[in-house]
Amino acid sequence: MFKTTETLIGALLIIFIAAFTLPSFGSEKKPKQILADRYIAVFDLAAVGVEKRIARQLTENLRRDLVLSNRYKVLNRSSMNKIIEEQKFKTSGCAAGACMIEAGRILGVRTIVTGSVSIGKNAYTIKLSLINTETGKLDMAYEGRCECGVDELLKSTKKLVAKMLDETPQIYEEPEKVVKVWLAMKNGTKAEMIFNGFNTKCGGYKDGGIRYATKEKTVDLPWKEIKYIIPASGKGMLTNDNEFQTDSLKPSHCTDAVIIEKTIRKITVQGHEKDVHEDIRASISDIRIIAFAQEWLEDAIKKEQQETEKLAGEFVFVRGGCFQMGDTFGDGDNDEKPAHEVCVDDFHIGKYEVTQGQWKAVMGVNPSYFKNCGDSCPIEQVSWNDTQEFIRKLNEKSGDDNYRLPTEAEWEYAARSGGRPEKYSGGSDIESVAWYSYNSGNKTYPVGIKLPNGLGIYDMTGNVLEWCQDWYSENYYSESLRNNPTGPSTGQSRILRGGSWGFNARTSRTTFRHWHLPTYGYFVGFRLAKPSK
């Protein structure tokens, strides 16, 4: 009897102890009962079409910015993994809400953050959920787009945390508008890019804007106050329509400045999609205009064109036609023969020779020998190569390849008032139309003093010799094309036409052909031409 009672008591004791010490049958996890109010767990964001390393780094940035907010105690990745492992909770395939809530309870936190990051057409989409593990209810949901590169995406977590903590007026508002720039490139193309500032701080280009320096003071202007910048001249306009100009914005002060837009392109490798990260780059040396709205870019282009037209001077429209080019009076040199029919299309040609004032405005210097003559006198001492640089800069400002030198055929056709048999440009009386050796006093004169020719063009005889586009060949007239000839394909010397203040009447004839090396420039000038549009 005693023995049986002792055995029964022992059995009951074992059962009682087992009830409080053994794990419940059929369960491998033991949820913590204490849920800490200020503790939060951020689960790895799901990567949808995005590299997992990007989603992982975005998750880490979320944890970091939550820590900095001082609102929560944030479990780090290693602590979360350790607790989950100790409790033998299987997280693989755990993406549903109930599963994640249970994981949060295992971790002993009252709040969890779950979500995903995905990629669409040049834009990331971020979805976040803030869930109360005690009630199982959604405290906050956020969805936003980021038209940005990876770097900006990873920086966006600070704003995301602010929204999660209700530090902004509306939790569900769209993310801040991405800053874009509209560019007019020197090659004539246009581009639209996401703008994160320049990659350098040299010159006047800074992270948050530009530095405008004068002798009196230095002013920092944020990008949001700027309409557009024209790097070549250092000019620009503010949103209040005030203009500014500073040398610190010229490419020469910051040759390394580059706008970089990070993009993601999908490729298929062995049947699997893969993200390829690429950079679109625009160098300051290749940019003609930087604008912060499309309409401001168009305004800047229009203003540049107007300024360029002013710099280029007045033009005369020349209606195309056919004429006998060369020695039509029978007193020409061999290279003026044979006279042959040439036809040219419509074009424009400068009403006057390019002046010293125009040259200085474009090139910044004045190489003329007769500087004392003034800004309205023709530029001289410029080589053919110099004229090409002038034209390049002029075209760069206009954003088009409008301006050029006239061909030799165009020059003679225009000088002869549309192909008329004129010995001098405007008739047979050289005294009335030209400054040449017998009336010049060995100097140049302001353009437009003498009488114009029949098309209203001045000084095509005398004042200064004028460069043409063509190479020179003595026998070219024997092989010239009939329609719009442009001269030989190669050569050593370029064509000069029109005589000058130092030439006599014979060498100032409209058909007389001068030539020289393209590096030669003594007492030589030019006039511009452009196509008819």
Side-chain angles (χ1 to χ4, degrees):
M1 179 74 177
F2 176 81
K3 216 171 172 182
T4 304
T5 304
E6 184 180 26
T7 303
L8 179 61
I9 293 172
L12 290 172
L13 182 61
I14 292 171
I15 294 171
F16 178 81
I17 293 171
F20 287 94
T21 59
L22 294 179
S24 56
F25 184 76
S27 174
E28 297 183 352
K29 53 186 178 291
K30 181 182 179 183
K32 289 192 175 184
Q33 299 301 312
I34 300 174
L35 299 178
D37 285 340
R38 292 194 63 214
Y39 277 80
I40 189 170
V42 181
F43 288 95
D44 283 343
L45 301 182
V48 183
V50 177
E51 289 186 34
K52 288 185 178 180
R53 65 177 182 83
I54 295 175
R56 186 183 178 95
Q57 186 60 56
L58 196 63
T59 304
E60 289 301 321
N61 290 1
L62 278 171
R63 290 191 180 109
R64 176 202 64 200
D65 291 324
L66 279 166
V67 170
L68 294 175
S69 73
N70 293 319
R71 181 74 66 88
Y72 291 101
K73 298 289 186 180
V74 184
L75 292 185
N76 59 38
R77 183 185 297 274
S78 60
S79 297
M80 290 174 62
N81 291 340
K82 182 179 180 181
I83 295 171
I84 291 292
E85 185 178 348
E86 287 177 351
Q87 298 299 317
K88 298 180 181 180
F89 185 82
K90 295 179 180 180
T91 58
S92 59
C94 183
C99 180
M100 300 301 286
I101 291 170
E102 183 68 11
R105 290 170 179 167
I106 290 287
L107 294 171
V109 297
R110 191 176 296 277
T111 308
I112 62 171
V113 178
T114 66
S116 65
V117 55
S118 59
I119 181 71
K121 186 178 180 181
N122 292 328
Y124 290 96
T125 298
I126 303 170
K127 297 181 179 180
L128 295 177
S129 297
L130 202 69
I131 303 172
N132 186 312
T133 59
E134 186 175 35
T135 64
K137 293 182 179 180
L138 182 70
D139 284 344
M140 193 278 298
Y142 170 79
E143 179 175 341
R145 285 167 51 84
C146 182
E147 295 180 6
C148 58
V150 174
D151 290 347
E152 283 304 304
L153 175 71
L154 297 178
K155 293 177 183 177
S156 68
T157 54
K158 186 175 182 180
K159 292 181 180 179
L160 297 182
V161 167
K163 294 178 185 296
M164 289 167 57
L165 302 181
D166 198 24
E167 292 176 4
T168 53
Q170 292 187 10
I171 292 177
Y172 297 100
E173 68 175 324
E174 285 295 314
E176 183 178 342
K177 186 179 179 181
V178 174
V179 177
K180 293 184 179 181
V181 287
W182 284 259
L183 308 176
M185 309 303 290
K186 290 182 179 179
N187 63 8
T189 62
K190 296 179 183 178
E192 178 183 334
M193 296 181 67
I194 294 173
F195 183 69
N196 298 311
F198 282 86
N199 70 323
T200 181
K201 298 180 181 179
C202 64
Y205 297 96
K206 307 300 177 185
D207 283 343
I210 64 168
R211 177 155 292 173
Y212 173 75
T214 66
K215 292 181 180 179
E216 293 79 19
K217 59 182 178 179
T218 298
V219 179
D220 288 326
L221 300 173
W223 297 117
K224 66 181 181 180
E225 294 184 11
I226 300 170
K227 278 189 174 182
Y228 60 79
I229 299 169
I230 303 170
S233 61
K235 293 181 179 180
M237 181 172 285
L238 302 178
T239 53
N240 62 8
D241 291 333
N242 286 335
E243 295 182 342
F244 63 87
Q245 182 173 11
T246 174
D247 287 343
S248 62
L249 295 177
K250 294 181 179 179
S252 58
H253 285 70
C254 196
T255 55
D256 296 330
V258 178
I259 298 173
I260 301 176
E261 177 183 335
K262 296 185 178 295
T263 63
I264 299 177
R265 179 170 58 89
K266 288 189 175 295
I267 63 172
T268 302
V269 179
Q270 297 180 346
H272 299 283
E273 279 194 345
K274 183 180 179 180
D275 290 341
V276 177
H277 296 264
E278 297 178 328
D279 288 348
I280 299 175
R281 304 170 70 89
S283 171
I284 193 68
S285 59
D286 297 325
I287 300 172
R288 185 164 64 93
I289 301 172
I290 305 167
F292 288 88
Q294 189 170 11
E295 61 269 25
W296 293 344
L297 178 65
E298 299 305 322
D299 290 345
I301 290 174
K302 184 177 180 180
K303 186 171 183 178
E304 277 281 274
Q305 289 173 340
Q306 291 172 344
E307 291 182 358
T308 303
E309 288 172 3
K310 184 178 179 180
L311 289 174
E314 295 183 61
F315 282 80
V316 171
F317 172 71
V318 180
R319 186 169 298 283
C322 300
F323 72 113
Q324 287 295 309
M325 184 173 179
D327 179 22
T328 55
F329 288 93
D331 57 355
D333 291 345
N334 289 335
D335 63 355
E336 300 174 48
K337 301 172 183 178
H340 56 291
E341 186 175 66
V342 166
C343 300
V344 295
D345 294 336
D346 297 348
F347 64 99
H348 289 85
I349 196 165
K351 187 174 184 177
Y352 308 104
E353 293 161 323
V354 172
T355 65
Q356 295 181 31
Q358 288 172 269
W359 185 273
K360 286 192 296 184
V362 174
M363 305 296 284
V365 295
N366 183 7
S368 298
Y369 180 80
F370 298 109
K371 289 184 178 70
N372 292 336
C373 184
D375 285 350
S376 61
C377 293
I379 188 69
E380 16 90 12
Q381 303 288 82
V382 293
S383 68
W384 186 92
N385 291 341
D386 293 334
T387 69
Q388 299 307 294
E389 181 62 13
F390 176 91
I391 290 168
R392 184 192 68 78
K393 289 190 174 184
L394 204 60
N395 284 331
E396 184 179 288
K397 286 180 67 65
S398 70
D400 203 349
D401 292 332
N402 273 335
Y403 302 105
R404 57 177 174 82
L405 291 176
T407 66
E408 186 179 22
E410 288 173 336
W411 190 97
E412 185 171 322
Y413 183 77
R416 289 168 53 183
S417 303
R420 297 175 188 173
E422 294 181 351
K423 181 163 286 193
Y424 308 109
S425 183
S428 58
D429 181 13
I430 189 172
E431 292 286 339
S432 64
V433 297
W435 297 109
Y436 71 118
S437 60
Y438 290 99
N439 67 5
S440 69
N442 294 323
K443 63 180 182 180
T444 60
Y445 289 83
V447 299
I449 292 179
K450 292 291 185 176
L451 294 177
N453 70 4
L455 297 178
I457 308 170
Y458 292 83
D459 299 308
M460 293 198 80
T461 295
N463 221 0
V464 292
L465 268 172
E466 299 178 15
W467 287 110
C468 292
Q469 185 64 34
D470 307 32
W471 289 107
Y472 171 77
S473 171
E474 182 178 2
N475 301 316
Y476 179 69
Y477 281 11
S478 299
E479 55 193 39
S480 171
L481 296 175
R482 178 176 182 271
N483 296 323
N484 299 306
T486 56
S489 58
T490 61
Q492 292 184 331
S493 298
R494 296 284 185 175
I495 288 290
L496 290 157
R497 285 300 203 106
S500 77
W501 58 268
F503 284 65
N504 60 31
R506 185 179 186 280
T507 54
S508 296
R509 292 177 295 112
T510 55
T511 60
F512 194 88
R513 305 178 75 205
H514 305 267
W515 70 94
H516 223 297
L517 295 174
T519 54
Y520 175 87
Y522 296 108
F523 307 119
V524 180
F526 68 107
R527 75 178 65 228
L528 293 169
K530 65 179 181 179
S532 173
K533 291 187 178 180

